[in-house]
Amino acid sequence: MKTDLSAESIQHMAQGFSRSRVLLTGVELDIFTLLKEHFLSAAEIVDRLNSDLRATTILLDALVAMELLAKERNRYRTNPEVALLLTADSEESILPGFMHTAHLWKTWSQLTEVVQDGGPAPRPEEAGDRTKAFIGAMHVRALRDTPELVRAINPGTARNLIDVGGGSGSYTIGFLEAVPGMKATIFDLPDVIPMARERLADKGLSDRVDLVPGDYNTDELPPGHDLAFLSAIIHQNSHDQNVALYKKILHALDPGGRIIVRDCAMNTDRTRPTSGALFAINMLVNTSGGNSYTFDEIKGGLEEAGFGKVRQIQDSEMSSLVEGIKP
């Protein structure tokens, strides 16, 4: 297969980590929030960060070179358009996603060892911090994607949604706002449920949602639903784990109920989309059996669990949608 790659483009590919690492260090140190309002000197920044002057100055200058910070008279400030995206208190902030990426850096850095010895890679950070960053990252993405996803799913006459692994409730909120008569159940781990409770309260939707703590690997799901949403879950699991989860969802649905699986649906040779092939690496270093799956693999798992009329209703990288019906 002929490509347009050259020595220069391959070298650029190999060195892409440098900009990523500079940005992620700025995020981890929360430099963009610190410099949101005022220009500060390197010495003033060091005093607030309790950091090294030489190292901090070199980092700050690199962030200026990347146009994330402005520099005037040896003083630094976050560029206004960057402040909207990378400061903790901005309504448009995508900061949680980058905090999640910073956690992933530690496992991705062990990819060579994982390929040689098998995965997943050890995780040095605290699990609570990792969960908070992950749920925050998923919330940011869901806010952007939910309206289009709900339209593509077309909940129709569905009245009882179960959002399995529903996180902070972003997708549930989208469904409830689109279907005023709908009620929902969010099923997720006990330490995630408080995040959903807070966001649902902010939206005035607490009375329409049951929050059920549990682990779908070991616990049964509550019954009585006509629509199940399984978003960005199956890539964390092996095929057998997914079949077991599909069976639990089948039991949680009334006859005629629908399951919607949102994930990346790979092509048959598992090389496209590129984002899916790279995401499989993410699952390799971070899970014991996760992967990116083809549509045929997703379809086969749903049918093995007992679902029928399986079809793909949207092909859109990580927002691909696969539907199945409970007989």
Side-chain angles (χ1 to χ4, degrees):
M1 180 181 68
K2 183 176 175 58
T3 73
D4 295 326
L5 293 176
S6 64
E8 182 178 3
S9 64
I10 293 173
Q11 184 177 26
H12 181 74
M13 188 187 301
Q15 294 176 342
F17 74 90
S18 57
R19 287 176 175 265
S20 173
R21 186 60 264 175
V22 170
L23 169 60
L24 294 179
T25 295
V27 165
E28 288 182 306
L29 295 173
D30 206 14
I31 284 174
F32 306 106
T33 303
L34 174 63
L35 299 178
K36 177 182 178 181
E37 300 292 343
H38 306 288
F39 279 94
L40 295 176
S41 69
E44 291 171 319
I45 295 167
V46 163
D47 183 59
R48 286 163 173 78
L49 296 180
N50 192 29
S51 57
D52 177 81
L53 179 60
R54 173 177 172 270
T56 303
T57 303
I58 290 174
L59 175 67
L60 292 168
D61 287 338
L63 290 169
V64 173
M66 293 166 59
E67 300 184 349
L68 296 168
L69 300 181
K71 183 178 182 180
E72 295 181 9
R73 298 180 182 178
N74 288 322
R75 298 170 72 83
Y76 303 87
R77 183 177 179 179
T78 304
N79 279 324
E81 60 273 24
V82 174
L84 288 173
L85 300 173
L86 294 181
T87 55
D89 54 355
S90 170
E91 292 185 0
E92 300 179 42
S93 178
I94 57 175
L95 192 64
F98 288 108
M99 288 301 298
H100 176 54
T101 302
H103 287 303
L104 294 180
W105 180 282
K106 297 177 177 65
T107 48
W108 275 72
S109 296
Q110 301 172 71
L111 177 59
T112 302
E113 291 79 9
V114 167
V115 171
Q116 290 177 321
D117 303 327
R123 290 175 170 175
E125 72 272 12
E126 291 296 324
D129 293 339
R130 186 170 66 247
T131 299
K132 183 177 180 180
F134 173 75
I135 296 299
M138 297 306 99
H139 174 70
V140 168
R141 174 162 188 154
L143 287 177
R144 181 184 72 236
D145 294 348
T146 296
E148 182 179 341
L149 277 173
V150 172
R151 283 193 295 271
I153 292 167
N154 186 18
T157 60
R159 288 295 177 266
N160 292 289
L161 167 75
I162 182 167
D163 190 349
V164 182
S168 64
S170 302
Y171 290 113
T172 292
I173 290 167
F175 279 106
L176 295 181
E177 290 179 339
V179 186
M182 178 180 281
K183 293 190 175 182
T185 298
I186 293 177
F187 184 93
D188 213 320
L189 296 169
D191 57 346
V192 175
I193 290 296
M195 304 179 201
R197 180 176 291 110
E198 179 180 354
R199 291 201 167 114
L200 289 165
D202 288 343
K203 290 289 187 177
L205 295 171
S206 300
D207 60 336
R208 294 172 61 190
V209 183
D210 290 329
L211 299 173
V212 180
D215 182 342
Y216 62 69
N217 289 310
T218 56
D219 300 320
E220 295 300 318
L221 303 176
H225 304 90
D226 52 12
L227 179 62
F229 189 53
L230 188 64
S231 175
I233 298 293
I234 67 169
H235 57 244
Q236 302 174 44
N237 302 334
S238 68
H239 172 80
D240 290 345
Q241 288 174 317
N242 282 326
V243 172
L245 178 55
Y246 297 152
K247 288 179 178 178
K248 290 182 178 183
I249 293 174
L250 188 78
H251 292 309
L253 286 170
D254 295 333
R258 292 197 293 162
I259 182 174
I260 302 292
V261 178
R262 172 190 164 264
D263 220 284
C264 184
M266 300 293 292
N267 69 352
T268 54
D269 73 356
R270 313 186 63 80
T271 63
R272 291 290 184 274
T274 302
S275 59
L278 292 174
F279 199 80
I281 297 289
N282 194 31
M283 294 301 96
L284 173 65
V285 298
N286 285 295
T287 71
S288 59
N291 208 337
S292 295
Y293 294 100
T294 68
F295 166 70
D296 286 339
E297 289 170 329
I298 299 170
K299 181 175 184 288
L302 287 169
E303 290 176 340
E304 185 178 343
F307 285 97
K309 300 180 181 179
V310 178
R311 65 189 182 109
Q312 186 168 348
I313 60 176
Q314 178 166 290
D315 183 6
S316 181
E317 299 197 4
M318 281 301 295
S319 287
S320 294
L321 299 172
V322 178
E323 175 190 77
I325 307 295
K326 178 175 179 175

